[in-house]
Amino acid sequence: MQVPAENKVITQFLAYADELVQALIDLSEIHQEQRQLYLVCLNSLWQMLNNAFQQDGGHFLSEQQIQLLQTVDLEIQHIESDIPEDFRNQLHLLLRQINVDLVS
Amino acid sequence: MLAHTFVADAILNNPDQINAQMADRQRFGIIALDSHAQVKIFNAAEARLSGLSVTEVLGRNFFTEVAPCTASRLFRGRFRQGIQEGSLDAHFYYTFTYRIRPISAHVHMFFDMRKSPLFFIFIDRIIQLYEDLG
């Protein structure tokens, strides 16, 4: 099965962002900030993709779309593993309870 | 094209008569929310199919605490639209993917504030997709 171009773009983006995070692993304070910023980015990306794929509910997601969402979700879980719980909770609240005009 | 609703007319015509006992007798998922999206009814079929227990979801916010993958423009957007307008009778397909085995469902949202203060989400699982993805 051929992988759609957008899946490759997202996969490459995830790999590059991971490199950015890992590049500062010896500078613990900045490294932690990079991970937190990356987590914000990944959560937003997941919601953007989910909104785009679900559209108006006229069809189900394709196998490729599900795979891409799961890839991003796995990366979120990986980054979350050593992010303070308080930060994770604040981020979830921000993304899910933000102004109605910005996020449904 | 969306199929016709799987919810009996007798239920849609009398939403004020939907309670936990009646909901538990249905084969499809029934979730009832108040206007703040707090879960008021979570029927037995939905508990069985989602793997969540009734006691752990009652009183919690559906979109932020129970089913984060529904915090989308389509799913939560329709809920907010219905609450704002006082009524909603909408069907759509939705694929649940967030940290669960992908599941596709036919969703029927129904709200008529003249008949009941509760916003109903009826969920009929269609198929479990791509099981090899786990």
Side-chain angles (χ1 to χ4, degrees):
Chain A
M1 182 184 304
Q2 191 168 3
V3 179
E6 60 267 28
N7 285 37
K8 291 180 181 173
V9 170
I10 298 295
T11 303
Q12 288 169 352
F13 166 76
L14 295 177
Y16 179 62
D18 197 50
E19 279 184 29
L20 290 178
V21 172
Q22 295 306 321
L24 295 167
I25 198 165
D26 294 331
L27 300 170
S28 61
E29 190 175 321
I30 304 176
H31 178 61
Q32 183 67 0
E33 181 175 323
Q34 293 287 80
R35 290 178 70 84
Q36 291 172 341
L37 291 169
Y38 186 32
L39 185 60
V40 174
C41 179
L42 286 170
N43 274 278
S44 297
L45 176 62
W46 192 93
Q47 289 215 21
M48 285 181 67
L49 291 170
N50 192 45
N51 276 338
F53 294 161
Q54 304 277 2
Q55 296 189 26
D56 62 354
H59 59 84
F60 295 132
L61 270 57
S62 69
E63 183 176 358
Q64 290 89 353
Q65 289 171 330
I66 289 174
Q67 278 183 324
L68 188 53
L69 283 169
Q70 290 186 322
T71 298
V72 176
D73 188 32
L74 280 174
E75 187 70 3
I76 290 172
Q77 292 182 63
H78 172 65
I79 295 294
E80 275 185 344
S81 61
D82 65 350
I83 294 286
E85 186 177 359
D86 183 52
F87 181 89
R88 296 201 310 261
N89 291 340
Q90 284 185 56
L91 176 58
H92 289 160
L93 282 174
L94 171 69
L95 289 172
R96 293 171 186 148
Q97 296 185 343
I98 201 167
N99 188 299
V100 62
D101 292 333
L102 292 176
V103 176
S104 287
Chain B
M1 184 173 174
L2 287 172
H4 188 265
T5 185
F6 49 92
V7 186
D9 287 344
I11 295 176
L12 296 175
N13 291 335
N14 303 286
D16 55 315
Q17 294 179 18
I18 302 176
N19 55 36
Q21 292 72 32
M22 182 270 207
D24 281 346
R25 291 196 295 271
Q26 308 305 315
R27 64 166 182 81
F28 52 83
I30 299 180
I31 302 163
L33 309 179
D34 68 11
S35 61
H36 302 290
Q38 281 200 338
V39 178
K40 296 300 180 184
I41 296 174
F42 197 81
N43 78 336
E46 187 59 29
R48 183 178 70 254
L49 294 165
S50 68
L52 299 171
S53 72
V54 177
T55 53
E56 71 180 309
V57 302
L58 285 181
R60 302 183 74 178
N61 186 287
F62 180 71
F63 298 105
T64 61
E65 299 179 287
V66 176
C69 68
T70 60
S72 62
R73 175 62 66 179
L74 171 60
F75 209 112
R76 189 162 60 173
R78 296 282 172 93
F79 169 78
R80 285 179 165 161
Q81 177 192 349
I83 293 297
Q84 283 179 355
E85 297 179 359
S87 67
L88 185 77
D89 187 3
H91 297 253
F92 56 88
Y93 289 137
Y94 203 79
T95 305
F96 299 86
T97 64
Y98 189 74
R99 298 188 186 179
I100 58 171
R101 183 187 299 274
I103 294 171
S104 283
H106 179 183
V107 178
H108 185 169
M109 286 184 169
F110 184 85
F111 180 53
D112 186 342
M113 66 181 299
R114 295 168 304 172
K115 295 182 178 177
S116 170
L118 295 178
F119 187 107
F120 294 96
I121 303 172
F122 305 109
I123 301 178
D124 189 22
R125 268 78 172 168
I126 307 295
I127 47 173
Q128 291 202 340
L129 293 174
Y130 318 122
E131 298 214 355
D132 57 318
L133 296 178

